Amino acid sequence: MTAVAIVCLSSTPPALAEPMSLLDRHGSRVAIEPYAPNIVRVTIALDKALAEAPPGDGPIAKADASGWVHRTDASGDIFSSPALTLTVDAKPWPKAPSQMERYFASALPPVSMSVQDANGTLLTKMTGWEMAPVTVNGEKTFKVGATFASPADEHYYGLGQNQEGSLDLRGRQIDCQHYYDAPAGETVCVPFMVTNKGYGIVWDNPARTLVWPGLHSTTRWQSQVGERVSFFVITGKTTDELYAGYAKLTGETPLPPKAGFGLIQSKARYESQQELLGIANGYRQRGLPLDIMVLDWFYWTRMGQIDIDRTYFPDPKGMNDTLKSMGMRSIISVWPRFERESRYFDMLATKGFLLHDKEGNPIDGLPMRYDRAGALLDSTNPEARQWFWGTVRDNILSQGFDWLWLDETEPDLIPDGYWYARGSGDRYHNLYPLVHTSGVADGSARDRPDFRNMILARAAYIGSQRTGSLFWSSDVHATWDALKRQVPTGLNFTASGLAYWGSDIGGWQWPKGPKAQRPVLVDPAGATAMDADYPDYPELFVRWFQYSVFTPTLRIHGQRPGTALWEYGAAAEPILAEWLRLRYALMPYLYAMGRRTYESGAPFMRALFMDFPKDPKVATIGDQYMFGPAFLVAPVTEQGQTKRTVYLPAGTAWYDYWTDQRFEGGQTVEVDAPINRMPLFVRAGSIVPMGVAVRSTAEKQALESIRVYPGANGRFTLYDDDGTTNAYRKSGMKAELVWDDRTRQLTSRSRLPTGQALTGLVRIVGQ
């Protein structure tokens, strides 16, 4: 170890950011590189050039060592900022190994380090690293990883989408890879994990990665391909500071178009222009709000033609004009797959724009599922991305469609054993959804600069939030078990720094489930969405819809005869209609949450650990959550259930949304949950704006009321804009509402975005 004097680092980063310091621990090279006072990157390798090399594709921030100081003492090299201190431990000259050590010990020179907060409290300690030689896809490479100490009271969240049914990741093995066929439902790898100890780790490796959080008192990361260890530590006094750091490092979350917060109606699939417009008309004739109609797959003549079959969709431009005249928008599904017989296949193969084997031959289909339906566009190739966007723009979007659904973004055609232009499919296993959606986001920004982009995407990676994507939990089953799993699944996904997530309401797979064990709560008479042997399916759909009204996106989809709101029977329809109207009444609240996420990076569908860190009881609760600052949501996920217990976090009072009854926090209550009601509570001090009824977000929505739940002071920033352009990045209408609980007055220093006067809108709950 070379002694280094105290050095104040320059506030101006060089053009090519150098590590703050490159240390040598007897052959292990350790690079320490700050990105902000609370963000630091650690890279460990045997090769100096690898240790100094930049991070992978997810992070986009520039290194910034402003305010950091480096000093050395007997303990090691100490790097400190106003937010954290990282100490790379000194290592004595290695002694000769014992007989046991000769057999078991790693050949790697050891590296360990610790991270403390500004008060000197230990946040985490890395105890070692690993590099084990392997041959993967013909490449001589390594498995690489690092191990961290795990105290008994540490809990872990995030890592993308895992549908195994629990929130806390502690004590589990997380196979961090995109995998459509995962037994419990598709897994999606976003290697960002946050803890309840005031820090998070962004793991900088796109290969399949195994993570064992808190297993046997350690947390271990192991990527299956790599030649170095690279990760970022983000610290924060609150979880929102962690997400602000993640956004700084990997990109902000754009504000979706306002229509993206409304109802998105889909089906696998609408077979004709007439059928799609008939469903849209059905909503308007029934007085039900709707924002977006979706045209799913097989509207084309062949997979990869990137065309619209005019036999069934004779006038797509006229269809979209009709939707717009009804106050609706459209999304169309475009796949990255190309059949050999399609018009672009030979060109793409010749240019090397397809996933291929080591001889360069395109990989056609999925042999494990007897799927021979085409080769995969190689979106790691920038030229292929540009070609794809330009072709989709000219062939599809030119017909009046607003936004794209990029399906199969995991991708479904597994790249392991094959090759991208970038390199081995195993090495870049998890990268595809970021580069594929980025190609569309970049193209839209270039060619439609005044139109707000939105993408429906089935998978994500570090930084995918910056592409304007809305994500969903893939093709889940239409069962009660699948619904129950959605709640913790979504909470871990948003805990991974990606705010916009939802599920196919009612499940995507054909409705089929076990026989109901309790009396069915929704009479299935008149339902056409399922066969007669699933009489509790309308009840399941009602519960799934209630839950989804309180998720970031509200999208009906599925492989069934009918999916529209009136196709679940006469008993279900009025319940569903009321919940849909509640979603639209909450649009001023929802849109303000979207703006807050754009500015802060923090999700608004929030596991309880985020907002109640001093209440240890919430650390493992995965069947309740906060929706914005006001609502505590407790979905009903059991068939025939008419009551459920709800834990009310300590430190605040709570109001039952339906009865206005007040409860003190820190207790578990049992509440009624008849089929038309899902348990909802509102935190004391909340300000909840409610809008008047509208047909869609295309209509200007006035405020119907502003509800105030007394018991604490409160603030809420109302926000509005045109809902469709990118002007929100520079402008928008805001009004900060302030509730003084002592004087029981709600005030605003500025005019409300709707132009209404505050007087007459305020409703104080319980008064």
Side-chain angles (χ1 to χ4, degrees), residues 602-621:
F604 58 92
M605 186 170 80
R606 306 165 62 84
L608 297 180
F609 80 90
M610 296 183 186
D611 293 308
F612 306 98
K614 296 181 180 179
D615 187 343
K617 293 182 179 179
V618 308
T620 60
I621 293 178

Side-chain angles (χ1 to χ4, degrees), residues 41-325:
R41 178 180 176 223
V42 176
T43 313
I44 312 171
L46 295 178
D47 185 277
K48 176 177 180 290
L50 285 174
E52 293 181 315
D57 294 78
I60 57 172
K62 294 181 179 179
D64 183 357
S66 301
W68 283 77
V69 174
H70 175 201
R71 63 185 176 86
T72 61
D73 62 20
S75 67
D77 285 82
I78 303 165
F79 303 87
S80 59
S81 76
L84 68 87
T85 297
L86 183 148
T87 302
V88 182
D89 299 332
K91 295 295 179 184
W93 185 259
K95 65 179 181 63
S98 67
Q99 181 178 353
M100 189 68 72
E101 288 170 338
R102 289 175 189 274
Y103 188 82
F104 289 107
S106 168
L108 290 174
V111 175
S112 61
M113 63 189 70
S114 60
V115 178
Q116 298 173 309
D117 67 14
N119 298 320
T121 302
L122 179 66
L123 299 179
T124 189
K125 183 173 181 64
M126 194 200 88
T127 57
W129 74 297
E130 62 179 291
M131 270 181 67
V134 291
T135 299
V136 180
N137 199 5
E139 282 191 300
K140 291 184 181 298
T141 180
F142 299 86
K143 292 182 179 181
V144 292
T147 302
F148 299 79
S150 174
D153 62 344
E154 188 164 55
H155 301 279
Y156 307 90
Y157 315 94
L159 291 181
Q161 181 172 281
N162 296 279
Q163 304 198 47
E164 295 178 357
S166 60
L167 175 69
D168 186 9
L169 304 179
R170 184 178 182 86
R172 297 165 55 190
Q173 173 179 286
I174 305 302
D175 189 350
C176 204
Q177 64 164 324
H178 308 324
Y179 184 30
Y180 176 87
D181 290 312
E186 179 171 350
T187 58
V188 171
C189 182
V190 182
F192 174 39
M193 185 172 72
V194 300
T195 76
N196 65 329
K197 292 294 186 179
Y199 75 96
I201 289 177
V202 175
W203 187 258
D204 177 33
N205 187 316
R208 177 189 175 198
T209 299
L210 300 177
V211 191
W212 297 272
L215 185 62
H216 301 308
S217 301
T218 62
T219 293
R220 184 180 170 205
W221 301 71
Q222 184 193 73
S223 292
Q224 304 308 291
V225 181
E227 289 76 39
R228 68 178 185 183
V229 166
S230 175
F231 62 88
F232 296 80
V233 178
I234 304 174
T235 66
K237 299 184 187 71
T238 66
T239 52
D240 281 9
E241 290 186 7
L242 300 183
Y243 293 114
Y246 176 79
K248 178 179 178 62
L249 180 65
T250 66
E252 67 190 16
T253 301
L255 177 62
K258 192 178 288 188
F261 293 89
L263 177 61
I264 304 173
Q265 175 63 48
S266 184
K267 178 188 173 185
R269 64 186 174 94
Y270 296 121
E271 297 189 6
S272 69
Q273 180 172 327
Q274 181 181 6
E275 182 186 3
L276 187 147
L277 288 176
I279 295 298
N281 276 313
Y283 275 90
R284 289 294 176 259
Q285 290 165 3
R286 290 168 174 83
L288 298 172
L290 174 63
D291 263 274
I292 298 174
M293 288 297 301
V294 180
L295 182 56
D296 199 359
W297 62 349
F298 290 109
Y299 59 82
W300 48 69
T301 57
R302 294 198 79 100
M303 177 80 80
Q305 287 288 94
I306 311 186
D307 64 356
I308 300 169
D309 191 335
R310 299 306 174 101
T311 303
Y312 303 100
F313 296 89
D315 184 13
K317 180 67 165 61
M319 179 183 74
N320 283 308
D321 288 344
T322 299
L323 290 176
K324 288 180 174 64
S325 72

